[in-house]
Amino acid sequence: MPKFMVLVPGSAESEAGVMPPTELFEEMAAYNNQLAKAGVLLAAEGLKPTSAAAKVRFDDTERRTVIDGPFTEAKEIIAGYWLLQASSLEEALEWVKRAPFGGGVTLEVRPIGSMDELGLEFSPELREAQQQLRQQLGQ
């Protein structure tokens, strides 16, 4: 069954570590319970502000540069996510439209690629190694 990543954008408030009101936590818990009971929810987490984060830039094949947060591009900040499993993008969108948000929040819903969609460059040996890794992870 297809999987979808739902990205929740950050805001000035989430970056400042401001917690949402209790009512929103309650609404979110009820929404997550609906997703779980329907067998759609695989994971859901909030992320800490970018002040607690770091990025790794790959300068070339050997050099890596660590960039400590906070990060200033607010439009690129993700405050949380859901990992959903649904029969189609349309079904995933129907679930996402029920999320307890308002105020112009825009959630991004992205299909997660599968091995079946990869080309010939993803050889049978690589497919087998990926399958073994998924078995190790219990997927």
Side-chain angles (χ1 to χ4, degrees), residues 76-98:
E76 296 177 5
I77 295 170
I78 298 170
Y81 69 92
W82 282 281
L83 181 59
L84 305 180
Q85 181 173 272
S87 62
S88 65
L89 176 60
E90 291 74 22
E91 181 189 359
L93 291 171
E94 287 304 315
W95 281 106
V96 171
K97 287 193 280 187
R98 299 176 193 175

Side-chain angles (χ1 to χ4, degrees), residues 44-112:
E45 299 290 342
L47 301 176
K48 290 187 176 187
T50 63
S51 59
K55 294 182 180 183
V56 177
R57 183 178 66 225
F58 294 78
D59 299 304
D60 54 36
T61 58
E62 294 179 18
R63 273 189 344 193
R64 308 302 191 248
T65 301
V66 174
I67 305 159
D68 293 324
F71 308 121
T72 57
E73 275 300 316
K75 66 183 179 195
E76 296 177 5
I77 295 170
I78 298 170
Y81 69 92
W82 282 281
L83 181 59
L84 305 180
Q85 181 173 272
S87 62
S88 65
L89 176 60
E90 291 74 22
E91 181 189 359
L93 291 171
E94 287 304 315
W95 281 106
V96 171
K97 287 193 280 187
R98 299 176 193 175
F101 287 106
V105 169
T106 300
L107 302 179
E108 182 178 347
V109 181
R110 294 183 61 182
I112 295 176

